[in-house]
Amino acid sequence: MSTSVEIREGDWQTLGEAAGEIRRVVFIEEQDVPRDEEWDGRDPECLHFLALADGRALGTARLLPDGHIGRVAVLAEARGLGIGLALMEAAIAAARQRGLPAAELAAQTHALAFYERLGFEAFGETFMEAGIPHRNMALRLDA
C-alpha cells in the first residue's frame, strides 16, 4: 500500500481537535496513560504536526519551544507506513529552522531503534513515565 502522506503544521487551535483524538486513542486507550498526564497544559505553546493520508488524520507530534519533541502517535492501522518518520522529519526540520541547538525527546524504550535511525542518541538511565519505561534522547542540530 503506497499512501502519500501530507504533514500539516500549526497551532493547537488549528490542529488540536484531530491531534487530540489521535493522542486519546493511542496514549489513553491503548497505553493506559492517565488523562491528567496526557493533557499537561502545554499544547497551546507547542507547534503541532498532523499526518494525513487520503484526507484522514493518522498521526501527530508536537514540538515544544525548548526543542523537545513529544506526543508522537500514529494510529494502529497506519503503523509501518512511514508516518512516524514523516512526522519526526517535520519536527526536526522545524526545530532546525528555529535555530535550536538540539532536539530532545523521551522515547518509550521499545521505540529507541526508531529514533536512533533518525540520529538521536540515548542518554541517562531508563525511567518510568505513565507506567511505561522511557529513555531520554538527543539529536544535535548545530553539528
Side-chain angles (χ1 to χ4, degrees):
M1 175 166 135
S2 102
T3 308
S4 77
V5 176
E6 174 197 352
I7 303 292
R8 288 193 189 145
E9 59 182 74
D11 60 16
W12 186 244
Q13 198 170 347
T14 306
L15 300 179
E17 189 176 339
E21 178 59 14
I22 292 166
R23 285 167 45 187
R24 185 189 66 74
V25 169
V26 172
F27 296 125
I28 296 170
E29 287 183 15
E30 273 184 41
Q31 298 183 353
D32 290 324
V33 172
R35 252 173 223 288
D36 60 335
E37 283 189 51
E38 178 54 37
W39 309 121
D40 62 1
R42 299 198 67 186
D43 287 313
E45 68 189 270
C46 296
L47 177 63
H48 294 270
F49 303 88
L50 191 64
L52 299 109
D54 303 323
R56 279 198 60 218
L58 299 172
T60 189
R62 75 179 186 185
L63 175 66
L64 281 88
D66 66 2
H68 274 80
I69 298 170
R71 303 304 197 265
V72 181
V74 177
L75 294 175
E77 75 227 38
R79 291 180 194 146
L81 301 176
I83 291 170
L85 182 66
L87 285 163
M88 285 301 300
E89 287 172 344
I92 292 165
R96 204 172 252 127
Q97 282 173 334
R98 284 170 168 65
L100 296 166
E104 294 192 21
L105 52 84
Q108 294 182 7
T109 54
H110 72 83
L112 286 171
F114 168 76
Y115 295 112
E116 285 168 350
R117 284 196 297 275
L118 286 158
F120 283 83
E121 293 181 17
F123 65 90
E125 298 296 317
T126 298
F127 61 94
M128 297 301 280
E129 192 170 293
I132 301 166
H134 285 71
R135 281 196 71 198
N136 286 316
M137 301 188 85
L139 171 68
R140 299 293 315 164
L141 300 175
D142 54 6

